[in-house]
Amino acid sequence: MLGSYPVACLTMLNIAAPLESRFGWHGIWGLGIILGSLVLLVALFLIPNNRPYSESFAARQNSENIAGQQIKEKIKLSVVLKAAPLWLVFIAFNCFDIGFYGLTTYMPTLMVDTLGAPLATANGVVSLMMVVLIPSSILCGYLLGKVKNRRFLPAFGLAGLTIVLYGAFNSSSIGMAIAFMLAGGFFTAFIPSSLFTIGAGTIANPAYIGICVAITSFGQNMGVAVGPLYVGTIVENSGNVWTSAAIPSAIVTLIGAVCCLMIKTKDNEAYNQE
């Protein structure tokens, strides 16, 4: 799963320009509809509907009463609202996607406008981020199982992405853009998987895993929606000066890094003992 998203982005960035040149934007939209329909069918008929974590958790209980209590326990809204670590994950994920999607959405246009690069070349440069993201995601997955303070992983990634955003929007050559895209892929790999892992454990009660993941995903999707609008508005209001997006984008991801450092979670073992 860690590698599926960058593979998809890598494919999209490298086929979009040739597809558009031959079939127009209708070709891109048509391919999206076909792929979306196929995924819908896969989700409906092939993805299993079991809950391995909750089942294995119940199986590990020494007492049937404890296991029964977990199953019957209802989620309390007050517990969710008071879970500061969960909302810090929400903000951090939001900040990440504002910066990431603001960059990946407009970086090809930036290179076309300011560096004179062909659109296919510009898309190829941005896709280099995804090439690095794949092996780096595997590294992050390994470190998540080794590092005790997991919050430092997304904080490291967001701090690095802050530098990348500032440099990328100030790119003065194709070589400079390539360097920042490669660095961006490395730092980005430490953010999404870490935040999803941390988010699931922000409330030390397995009954709340579902709502924790849902709120984490909501923070992610909000950033996806806001990022292009945020960067696009800044550039437009500056008279289409791309460098104007550098500092505002960097500030957002820096805020996300600070939020990550503030996250403190309880271990589920402590809940089990209680």
Side-chain angles (χ1 to χ4, degrees):
M1 291 181 64
L2 290 175
S4 61
Y5 173 77
V7 168
C9 289
L10 179 64
T11 304
M12 173 192 69
L13 287 166
N14 284 284
I15 70 170
L19 196 64
E20 192 276 336
S21 64
R22 183 168 183 177
F23 301 103
W25 64 267
H26 300 86
I28 298 176
W29 281 44
L31 180 61
I33 292 172
I34 293 172
L35 294 177
S37 300
L38 291 174
V39 171
L40 175 62
L41 293 175
V42 170
L44 288 175
F45 298 107
L46 297 180
I47 296 179
N49 194 35
N50 57 354
R51 295 175 292 177
Y53 180 85
S54 59
E55 292 170 5
S56 62
F57 177 82
R60 286 198 302 267
Q61 307 304 311
N62 294 324
S63 169
E64 293 183 0
N65 293 332
I66 295 178
Q69 181 181 355
Q70 299 297 334
I71 296 173
K72 297 178 182 178
E73 188 170 359
K74 294 182 179 180
I75 295 176
K76 298 179 181 178
L77 182 60
S78 60
V79 174
V80 176
L81 294 177
K82 292 178 182 179
L86 175 59
W87 296 106
L88 287 170
V89 170
F90 172 88
I91 296 172
F93 222 144
N94 200 339
C95 290
F96 159 66
D97 277 319
I98 289 175
F100 178 78
Y101 282 97
L103 174 66
T104 54
T105 299
Y106 292 111
M107 193 63 188
T109 307
L110 182 154
M111 285 188 283
V112 171
D113 289 349
T114 64
L115 304 179
L119 180 58
T121 300
N123 284 343
V125 171
V126 176
S127 72
L128 293 175
M129 176 183 286
M130 307 305 162
V131 174
V132 178
L133 185 57
I134 296 171
S136 298
S137 296
I138 298 174
L139 173 62
C140 178
Y142 171 79
L143 292 176
L144 281 170
K146 298 292 183 179
V147 177
K148 183 177 181 180
N149 294 317
R150 290 174 170 172
R151 66 180 183 271
F152 290 121
L153 292 177
F156 167 75
L158 281 161
L161 187 60
T162 298
I163 299 172
V164 169
L165 287 169
Y166 181 82
F169 281 113
N170 283 287
S171 295
S172 57
S173 67
I174 297 294
M176 186 175 178
I178 290 174
F180 280 113
M181 290 302 98
L182 294 173
F186 174 76
F187 288 115
T188 296
F190 290 87
I191 306 169
S193 53
S194 297
L195 290 177
F196 272 119
T197 302
I198 295 170
T202 48
I203 299 178
N205 180 338
Y208 286 82
I209 288 178
I211 189 65
C212 287
V213 173
I215 291 176
T216 302
S217 299
F218 179 48
Q220 176 194 27
N221 293 326
M222 180 179 289
V224 173
V226 173
L229 179 63
Y230 175 72
V231 172
T233 301
I234 292 171
V235 174
E236 182 179 10
N237 290 338
S238 67
N240 294 329
V241 178
W242 288 103
T243 56
S244 64
I247 294 178
S249 299
I251 289 174
V252 170
T253 50
L254 185 60
I255 292 172
V258 173
C259 288
C260 289
L261 293 176
M262 296 171 62
I263 296 172
K264 293 182 179 180
T265 60
K266 296 179 180 179
D267 192 276
N268 279 338
E269 291 298 328
Y271 174 82
N272 298 343
Q273 293 174 3
E274 293 176 6

